[in-house]
Amino acid sequence: MTIGERVKRARKHAGLNQRELAKAIGITQPSLSELERGESRSSAYLVQIASVCGVDASWLATGSGEMLTFGARSPGGPDELEFHNTEIVEGGSPLSSDDVELPCFREVEFSAGDGRTQVVENGGHTMRFPLAKLAARSVSPENAACATATGTSMMPTIADGSPIAIDKGTRHIIDGKIYALDHGGMLRIKRLYKLPLGRVRLVSDNSEEYPEEIHSLMGPDAPKIIGRVFWWEVFD
């Protein structure tokens, strides 16, 4: 069964016509029709379609599992991450219907050549990521991006060189969760904790070598939250 066929089945399960479902997820009826006919490979609205139709998002994206298990969570609960060996694929092979190509964040030097850096998205570099992982975490593909963690500040949780996935749609601080930051042109991965007066604690899991920091979220030198880290590779 193709993605388009699963979308059509989910829509009929919800008792909606194409116009009603399209309106609910914010696209046009012809766009939804193209998706159902297999003429469009857009994956940006699969999470919303699954939510509106009350079906399992992983099933909708990949066809695996059962259709009517939407909302089911792992025993760890909704705030627990599932760890997997990486399924990111780089290269020129054709993109499968079960994957999405995500832009990457990286540090680049300003053209002035004075050693200053900035964190930019993409620059032509992408990583492939399974749609099922995005659907399982309710992350819309258009809000997802990848990066590579550098350094040992988040050891042993996140290793140096580990690929990470970021939800750019979650920039509000949830105490203790891990976020990607643009801090003075550096890409930093830290646990964040809110403090009064617009301040934030930046905490490293390797606290012996990297003591916690307190910064204001205001002003030109403030760390900028790129998004919440919802997946990273665990090396064996």
Side-chain angles (χ1 to χ4, degrees), residues 1-13 32-40 46 49 59-60 63 67:
M1 187 182 296
T2 66
I3 287 180
E5 290 170 337
R6 291 193 295 274
V7 169
K8 183 176 181 179
R9 184 177 172 187
R11 175 175 61 77
K12 289 185 175 294
H13 164 75
L32 179 61
S33 179
E34 289 178 359
L35 180 59
E36 290 190 359
R37 295 197 306 269
E39 297 174 5
S40 169
L46 292 182
I49 291 172
W59 170 84
L60 188 64
M67 181 178 79

Side-chain angles (χ1 to χ4, degrees), residues 16 21-22 43 83-84 157 182 213:
L16 300 172
L21 178 56
S43 57
F83 298 104
H84 303 269
T157 308
D182 176 358
E213 306 168 26

Side-chain angles (χ1 to χ4, degrees), residues 38 52 70 98 139 184 188 197 217:
V52 170
F70 179 72
D98 296 336
V139 178
R188 308 185 73 190
L197 303 177
L217 289 173

Side-chain angles (χ1 to χ4, degrees), residues 139-154:
V139 178
S140 297
E142 66 268 23
N143 285 334
C146 288
T148 300
T150 58
T152 60
S153 68
M154 292 302 291

Side-chain angles (χ1 to χ4, degrees), residues 166-214:
I166 304 163
D167 178 11
K168 298 181 294 180
T170 303
R171 297 183 182 179
H172 62 281
I173 297 174
I174 304 172
D175 282 350
K177 300 302 180 183
I178 301 175
Y179 292 81
L181 308 171
D182 176 358
H183 195 180
M186 292 178 60
L187 179 63
R188 308 185 73 190
I189 313 299
K190 300 292 180 184
R191 295 189 188 272
L192 300 187
Y193 295 85
K194 290 181 291 187
L195 291 173
L197 303 177
R199 297 175 301 161
V200 63
R201 290 172 58 209
L202 275 57
V203 178
S204 302
D205 284 4
N206 183 3
S207 57
E208 290 187 5
E209 294 186 57
Y210 299 88
E212 74 172 58
E213 306 168 26
I214 296 179

Side-chain angles (χ1 to χ4, degrees), residues 80-129:
E80 296 299 322
L81 286 162
E82 295 182 41
F83 298 104
H84 303 269
N85 289 330
T86 183
E87 296 179 33
I88 292 175
V89 179
E90 297 184 68
S93 58
L95 188 68
S96 77
S97 61
D98 296 336
D99 293 331
V100 63
E101 209 161 53
L102 301 182
C104 294
F105 282 98
R106 59 193 180 115
E107 296 174 14
V108 299
E109 188 170 338
F110 279 100
S111 59
D114 57 5
R116 292 185 301 154
T117 59
Q118 59 181 333
V119 178
V120 299
E121 185 177 344
N122 203 352
H125 184 57
T126 61
M127 287 186 180
R128 294 184 185 181
F129 199 83

